[in-house]
């Protein structure tokens, strides 16, 4: 799923970059300019400057916008950014944030009124917010004083802090005059945005780059760099070529590119869990998937171990539900080991010849890298062996989203999708992709799953107030997913970045959606 969902292996790679020789690009990078190609993650694409609509790209957006809270660099705990402290009441219904002294880039003070304004925009789907469905449990947002924000819920929600990490604060004084239903596509985002972060927006050259300049009034001190530039590449290979040529100092790479950098002291490879589960999503509005035996046949038909070994180089782990973390996967779940004969038998029992036979099935994806192309080809061949004829169709992210999020979708365009969705660092993330109350336009349940037992398990996990019991609740979610197969879950792959040895105090974590996480961009520097 892409809305946040799984890392498009960057059809368009975002880069913090100095130039690369063309006259439309900025001057070549130097010690005052950080250059790199940042993995924008799932949903990332050029022109996605509006944090309310962002399902990815947080590595970049967090350089000039900031949330109240974020994850630490290891994605293990939530820490304050614009909140100096935060507290949750014993009944899990009241969240209180104490705010730091900060200024917007235009010099005006950041206050609790801005935080409330941002929260109200995020709750309103008319603003284009992708967080609206996650915030339905919010009863009220209060501002007792300029440095205090109080959020009250109607029921406990385990996903509240995770949602808050993705809510980058916005200035009320700059945006309040824009009608809410006109906000999402307003030119402000690409011409004059202001945040509270260590770098200020200076310009956007269409289809080329975004430039930021150091914010000398930043509360954490003037950044070590003078500027940071976010440039767009036509494909990952172009970003890698720029990295090797010394034109950039960082980029995301696929696992099959990693070996070419290891052993080279000029670069350092950063590796980590993507926290994104890749899956074949059955469009539940298509009658061909109604019989559970057909969905099981898809699982048995695909040799996941072979794909992981030969195409991912072992840098992935099979998933039999949305989770792979040990504490979230109960013992005894079906592993769906490769068994094409069993797949054929299940299809015969279900009457596949009458249901669909060899009619082509569109397999829609936003993954466009060479690795993804090879993975899709392998799955296509394996499914063909058991009599399921899928035709992969790779499109860019905006096209993908316009198809799968349509409130009146053309089912024939995506009877099956190859996508990804976060399974962490907070396990609640998958709720938006599977709960029936998240079916578009309410949310991003793009497969239109309508499984009562799954809804009940997800709701119970989200509303569990006792953290000690929550893992057990998510195990219940895993059991239902494994048995009822709203998706054919495939694997969770590692994610990689390659960084120049010239970068100092640089933090990048292979986080889902590009973060956000505590990266401290004000400390980044580059040596000559």
């Amino acid at each position: 799923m892409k809305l946040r969902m799984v890392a498009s292996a960057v059809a368009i790679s975002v880069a913090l970059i100095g130039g690369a020789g063309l006259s439309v690009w900025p001057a070549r990078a130097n010690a005052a300019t950080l250059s790199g190609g940042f993995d924008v993650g799932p949903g990332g694409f050029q022109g996605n400057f509006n944090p309310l609509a962002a399902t990815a790209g947080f590595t970049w957006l967090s350089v000039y916008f900031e949330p109240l809270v974020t994850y630490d660099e290891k994605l293990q705990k939530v820490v304050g950014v614009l909140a100096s402290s935060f507290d949750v009441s014993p009944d899990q219904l009241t969240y209180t944030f104490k705010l730091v002294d900060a200024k917007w880039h235009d010099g005006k003070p950041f206050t609790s009124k801005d935080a409330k304004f941002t929260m109200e925009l995020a709750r309103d789907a008319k603003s284009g917010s992708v967080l609206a469905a996650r915030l339905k449990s919010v009863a009220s947002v209060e501002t007792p004083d300029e440095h205090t924000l109080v959020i009250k819920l109607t029921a406990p929600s385990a996903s509240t802090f995770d949602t808050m990490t993705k809510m980058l604060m916005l200035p009320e004084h700059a945006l309040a005059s824009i009608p809410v239903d006109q906000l999402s596509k307003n030119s402000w985002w690409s011409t004059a945005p202001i945040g509270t972060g260590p770098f200020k927006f200076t310009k956007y050259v269409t289809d080329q780059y975004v430039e930021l300049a150091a914010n000398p009034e930043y509360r954490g001190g003037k950044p070590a760099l003078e500027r940071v530039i976010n440039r767009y590449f036509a494909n990952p290979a172009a970003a890698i070529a720029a990295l090797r040529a010394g034109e950039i100092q960082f980029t995301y790479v696929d696992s099959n590119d990693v070996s070419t950098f290891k052993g080279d002291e000029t670069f350092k490879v950063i590796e980590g869990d993507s926290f994104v589960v890749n899956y074949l999503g059955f469009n539940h509005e298509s009658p061909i998937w109604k019989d559970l035996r057909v969905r099981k046949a898809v699982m048995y038909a695909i040799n996941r171990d072979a794909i992981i070994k030969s195409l991912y180089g072992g840098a992935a782990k099979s998933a039999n539900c949305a989770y792979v973390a040990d504490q979230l996967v109960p013992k005894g779940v079906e592993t769906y080991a490769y068994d094409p004969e069993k797949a054929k038998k299940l299809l015969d029992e279900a009457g596949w010849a009458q249901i669909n036979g060899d009619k082509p099935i569109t397999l829609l994806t936003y993954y466009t890298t060479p690795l993804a192309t090879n993975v899709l080809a392998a799955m296509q061949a394996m499914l063909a062996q058991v009599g399921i004829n899928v035709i992969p169709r790779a499109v860019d992210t905006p096209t993908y989203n316009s198809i799968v999020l349509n409130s009146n979708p053309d089912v024939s365009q995506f009877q099956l999708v190859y996508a990804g969705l976060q399974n962490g660092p907070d396990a609640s993330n998958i709720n938006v992709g599977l709960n029936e109350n998240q079916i578009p336009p309410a949310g991003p349940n793009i497969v239109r799953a309508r499984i009562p037992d799954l809804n009940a398990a997800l709701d119970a996990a989200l509303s569990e107030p006792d953290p000690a019991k929550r893992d057990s609740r998510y195990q219940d979610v895993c059991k239902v997913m494994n048995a009822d197969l709203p998706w054919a879950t495939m694997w969770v792959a590692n994610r990689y970045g390659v960084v120049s040895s010239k970068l100092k105090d640089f933090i990048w974590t292979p986080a889902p959606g590009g973060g956000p996480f505590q990266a401290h961009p004000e400390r980044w520097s580059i040596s000559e």
Side-chain angles (χ1 to χ4, degrees):
M1 145 167 255
K2 186 125 180 153
L3 303 158
R4 94 139 171 105
M5 296 157 212
V6 194
S8 153
V10 278
I12 301 169
S13 182
V14 164
L16 295 180
I17 291 189
L22 295 183
S23 60
V24 293
W25 294 342
R28 193 175 182 85
N30 53 43
T33 302
L34 175 60
S35 305
F38 274 60
D39 168 26
V40 294
F45 53 90
Q46 60 176 310
N48 187 19
F49 304 132
N50 176 0
L52 292 170
T55 56
F58 290 104
T59 300
W60 171 253
L61 291 172
S62 299
V63 177
Y64 57 117
F65 293 111
E66 294 178 307
L68 296 183
V69 294
T70 192
Y71 285 107
D72 69 348
E73 64 180 272
K74 295 183 179 179
L75 307 182
Q76 294 177 345
K77 62 180 179 179
V78 173
V79 297
V81 182
L82 285 171
S84 58
S85 65
F86 44 92
D87 179 67
V88 185
S89 62
D91 62 5
Q92 307 285 302
L93 295 178
T94 303
Y95 289 68
T96 302
F97 299 86
K98 293 295 183 179
L99 309 184
V100 302
D101 287 319
K103 292 182 179 180
W104 295 103
H105 291 153
D106 62 2
K108 295 185 183 299
F110 163 74
T111 72
S112 59
K113 288 184 63 181
D114 294 303
K116 179 177 181 177
F117 173 75
T118 303
M119 173 67 80
E120 297 298 352
L121 285 179
R123 294 173 66 192
D124 191 344
K126 292 180 181 177
S127 71
S129 170
V130 296
L131 301 175
R134 298 183 181 215
L135 296 168
K136 288 184 177 179
S137 63
V138 174
S140 66
V141 183
E142 302 169 3
T143 55
D145 58 60
E146 287 193 344
H147 287 85
T148 305
L149 181 78
V150 179
I151 299 172
K152 295 186 176 180
L153 308 182
T154 57
S157 177
S159 64
T160 299
F161 272 131
D162 183 78
T163 301
M164 295 299 292
T165 68
K166 298 172 177 64
M167 192 182 303
L168 305 187
M169 293 295 105
L170 301 172
E172 182 181 30
H173 66 277
L175 296 175
S177 63
I178 301 174
V180 173
D181 60 357
Q182 297 177 24
L183 188 62
S184 63
K185 297 183 179 180
N186 194 275
S187 63
W188 185 83
W189 305 105
S190 60
T191 57
I194 56 173
T196 56
F199 289 86
K200 299 180 178 182
F201 182 96
T202 55
K203 64 180 175 179
Y204 165 52
V205 177
T206 305
D207 298 335
Q208 297 297 326
Y209 66 90
V210 176
E211 181 179 274
L212 305 181
N215 174 14
E217 304 301 319
Y218 185 59
R219 65 187 182 281
K222 184 179 182 298
L225 294 167
E226 290 297 328
R227 68 175 184 170
V228 179
I229 299 172
N230 174 14
R231 181 180 125 204
Y232 304 108
F233 289 105
N235 53 64
I240 292 174
L243 179 67
R244 289 195 174 283
E247 296 168 355
I248 64 175
Q249 287 75 50
F250 174 84
T251 190
Y252 160 82
V253 300
D254 272 339
S255 57
N256 52 357
D257 296 312
V258 171
S259 61
T260 64
F261 289 97
K262 284 187 174 179
D264 187 339
E265 294 184 356
T266 307
F267 303 102
K268 176 184 177 182
V269 175
I270 303 172
E271 176 181 0
D273 191 332
S274 68
F275 287 103
V276 173
V277 60
N278 289 123
Y279 64 91
L280 289 175
F282 306 106
N283 187 332
H284 289 252
E285 293 188 350
S286 173
I288 68 175
W289 308 119
K290 294 299 183 185
D291 194 313
L292 177 58
R293 289 171 294 187
V294 173
R295 304 199 297 274
K296 286 186 175 182
V298 171
M299 286 293 292
Y300 286 119
I302 296 175
N303 191 338
R304 291 178 292 166
D305 289 342
I307 290 175
I308 289 170
K309 182 178 180 180
S310 63
L311 297 180
Y312 283 93
K317 183 178 180 180
S318 290
N320 294 306
C321 69
Y323 311 120
V324 293
D326 290 341
Q327 73 274 16
L328 303 181
V329 180
K331 296 184 183 300
V333 295
E334 175 61 58
T335 60
Y336 292 103
Y338 178 54
D339 192 339
E341 293 307 313
K342 189 169 187 176
K344 290 177 183 178
K345 182 179 179 181
L346 286 167
L347 290 172
D348 287 342
E349 291 175 357
W352 181 248
Q354 291 73 42
I355 292 171
N356 190 78
D358 62 358
K359 295 176 184 176
I361 299 167
T362 300
L363 197 178
L364 187 70
T365 187
Y366 48 79
Y367 288 116
T368 57
T369 61
L371 173 60
T373 300
N374 290 336
V375 168
L376 286 164
M379 291 193 290
Q380 181 184 24
M382 291 170 184
L383 290 170
Q385 286 184 334
V386 302
I388 299 175
N389 179 20
V390 302
I391 307 298
R393 180 191 174 200
V395 298
D396 60 29
T397 300
T399 301
Y400 178 89
N401 286 344
S402 70
I403 294 171
V404 301
L405 292 177
N406 195 312
S407 56
N408 294 298
D410 179 352
V411 175
S412 67
Q413 290 194 58
F414 67 114
Q415 288 171 297
L416 194 63
V417 298
Y418 177 54
L421 186 60
Q422 296 182 26
N423 64 45
D426 188 291
S428 66
N429 275 293
I430 66 134
N431 179 69
V432 296
L434 290 169
N435 204 313
E436 185 172 352
N437 65 20
Q438 300 281 333
I439 290 174
N445 175 357
I446 61 167
V447 298
R448 276 71 176 174
R450 293 178 174 87
I451 301 176
D453 288 349
L454 184 56
N455 297 335
L458 287 165
D459 290 343
L462 285 171
S463 60
E464 176 56 65
D466 185 351
K469 297 179 181 178
R470 210 167 284 150
D471 286 353
S472 177
R473 295 291 193 185
Y474 285 120
Q475 285 189 11
D476 292 340
V477 173
C478 185
K479 289 176 184 177
V480 178
M481 285 196 70
N482 181 260
D484 291 350
L485 295 180
W487 302 336
T489 47
M490 294 289 107
W491 44 68
V492 174
N494 288 359
R495 187 172 294 166
Y496 301 89
V498 176
V499 60
S500 167
S501 58
K502 293 182 178 180
L503 287 185
K504 308 299 179 185
D505 297 317
F506 176 76
I507 296 173
W508 180 78
T509 297
F517 53 88
Q518 198 171 38
H520 290 296
E522 73 277 8
R523 302 175 186 173
W524 298 346
S525 64
I526 182 171
S527 61
E528 291 285 7

